[in-house]
Amino acid sequence: MMRTYNVILLFIAACIGGVVFFFTCKYTYEYKLSILKQKARATLIEAVEQEVKSRNVEGPLVFTLPNTANMKNAELPDSVTIVDSIGMYKLKLDKEKHYNNTTTDTNVRLLHSVAFMEHPIQPDSLNLIWKKYLNKVGISMGTALCVSVVDRFGDVTSASTSYSEWRKCSNLLFTISIGYACEIEVMAYLYYSVWNIIYMEIILGLLLYIVYMYMIYKLILFVQCKIIFVRDKGVIKQPVVKIIKEMKDSSSIRSYKLYEGFIFHADQNLIEFNGQQKILQPQPSKLLELFLRMEETGYVLKNSDIRESLWSDGSATPDRIHKAVARLRSNIKELDSSIDIKKCVDGYQLVL
């Protein structure tokens, strides 16, 4: 019954620990992924700026959209009119792309449109620059880009980086827009997983989980032993075990009276119980006497005490100790089922 109770307690503790471990990892992953996205977006914008600098854009830019720093609160018109060397044309504004742009500066956005209209972005080239900036901030992962361009007629053309077969929705980190109306949409991918983002946290968490389960197991055994001790405190504190006959000579006669009707003759390896007699093997007999000698500790024997007394040659194993205790328990219960031997922290207790 007690063993089943212990298993249930350990199962509950394991479930609680598992839930805590899961949500801790989940929170850590989401936090570190958020930081990763911020760094990756900032570095991609730097890469775009470097691409702009490599283009030589000349001539004034004319636009009809008000220049405001706070685009989120600005009232967005339906379209923007652009005048360039080709002529004047009106382009419809996409709100989502408008708010997802790399910059809030309308002049810079127009500059981007003109620069990349004449010399389109090459995904492989931009990807190499992006990777260089990522390495500078300590991010070393596989990268890929998909660039989609909308022309003045509303037609869309797309191109992706080479050697990015792993590119899929789960690896899409973010999307940014470049330019005005004829926006260039860049989808940024990183070859990441839960493991390579929080592998250190997972390893540390698993180690802590193992330590936690071990401590819970030890605590359960300790509490169980204390409960038994408190429950039987009144019995153990009384001189229920009396040495009724002992002679310090070559015969070494030693007899113990546990209570009326139960006498253990250690020198003869014999138990008397209400007129019945039970012969013990030498090892169980010696083990029982060891228990009875430990009245001051509540009849608790440590594994080390059993090991040194029964196997002085050092051949003791946990399995041998367990079997020796089980054999003694079985011998006693044949006569009196009220006496038991319980496992406690790092040892066993004789419960009278």
Side-chain angles (χ1 to χ4, degrees), residues 307-317 320:
R307 189 184 303 114
E308 291 172 6
S309 299
L310 299 188
W311 292 278
S312 57
D313 59 353
S315 62
T317 63
R320 277 189 165 188

Side-chain angles (χ1 to χ4, degrees), residues 82-89 117-118 152-153:
I82 296 179
V83 179
D84 58 17
S85 58
I86 299 175
M88 183 174 67
Y89 50 92
M117 191 180 299
E118 296 181 2
R152 67 182 65 187
F153 304 107

Side-chain angles (χ1 to χ4, degrees), residues 222-235:
F222 176 77
V223 171
Q224 176 183 321
C225 203
K226 283 293 183 182
I227 291 173
I228 294 173
F229 179 76
V230 171
R231 185 186 64 190
D232 301 320
K233 188 175 181 181
V235 176

Side-chain angles (χ1 to χ4, degrees), residues 59-289:
L61 300 173
V62 181
F63 56 93
T64 59
L65 186 69
N67 185 3
T68 175
N70 192 351
M71 295 190 306
K72 293 288 184 182
N73 298 326
E75 185 177 350
L76 185 68
D78 293 332
S79 60
V80 59
T81 301
I82 296 179
V83 179
D84 58 17
S85 58
I86 299 175
M88 183 174 67
Y89 50 92
K90 183 179 289 188
L91 297 171
K92 188 175 181 181
L93 288 174
D94 186 308
K95 286 188 177 184
E96 184 177 348
K97 291 180 180 179
H98 175 77
Y99 295 133
N100 201 33
N101 208 284
T102 59
T103 178
T104 61
D105 191 318
T106 53
N107 288 306
V108 175
R109 290 167 72 170
L110 286 166
L111 181 65
H112 287 172
S113 289
V114 174
F116 295 126
M117 191 180 299
E118 296 181 2
H119 303 284
I121 293 176
Q122 299 300 318
D124 286 325
S125 173
L126 181 61
N127 190 47
L128 287 174
I129 300 171
W130 183 36
K131 186 174 290 187
K132 180 184 71 174
Y133 282 110
L134 283 174
N135 288 331
K136 285 183 179 180
V137 296
I139 299 174
S140 179
M141 299 178 184
T143 59
L145 296 174
C146 179
V147 180
S148 299
V149 182
V150 182
D151 61 22
R152 67 182 65 187
F153 304 107
D155 296 327
V156 181
T157 56
S158 299
S160 302
T161 50
S162 306
Y163 308 109
S164 56
E165 293 81 4
W166 52 266
R167 181 170 56 85
K168 52 188 177 181
C169 293
S170 60
N171 293 111
L172 177 62
L173 209 60
F174 56 84
T175 302
I176 62 171
S177 298
I178 305 170
Y180 242 154
C182 290
E183 292 100 345
I184 302 166
E185 190 173 64
V186 180
M187 302 174 73
Y189 297 84
L190 272 184
Y191 195 33
Y192 70 93
S193 64
V194 174
W195 174 253
N196 61 18
I197 289 180
I198 58 168
Y199 70 95
M200 286 298 296
E201 288 81 359
I202 291 176
I203 293 173
L204 180 60
L206 287 174
L207 289 175
L208 290 175
Y209 183 74
I210 292 171
V211 172
Y212 158 79
M213 288 304 300
Y214 177 77
M215 295 301 293
I216 290 294
Y217 172 72
K218 285 292 186 182
L219 180 63
I220 289 174
L221 291 182
F222 176 77
V223 171
Q224 176 183 321
C225 203
K226 283 293 183 182
I227 291 173
I228 294 173
F229 179 76
V230 171
R231 185 186 64 190
D232 301 320
K233 188 175 181 181
V235 176
I236 291 175
K237 281 194 171 182
Q238 296 174 1
V240 294
V241 177
K242 299 177 181 178
I243 301 176
I244 58 175
K245 184 168 56 177
E246 182 171 17
M247 295 176 59
K248 298 295 183 180
D249 57 14
S250 57
S251 61
S252 186
I253 300 173
R254 305 177 312 283
S255 296
Y256 300 81
K257 184 177 181 179
L258 277 68
Y259 48 80
E260 287 299 328
F262 197 114
I263 301 175
F264 170 50
H265 301 285
D267 55 300
Q268 302 176 42
N269 300 334
L270 174 68
I271 295 176
E272 290 185 11
F273 178 67
N274 293 336
Q276 302 180 54
Q277 292 187 344
K278 173 71 177 179
I279 301 293
L280 300 180
Q281 293 293 326
Q283 189 182 71
S285 177
K286 187 174 183 179
L287 182 57
L288 178 57
E289 187 172 13

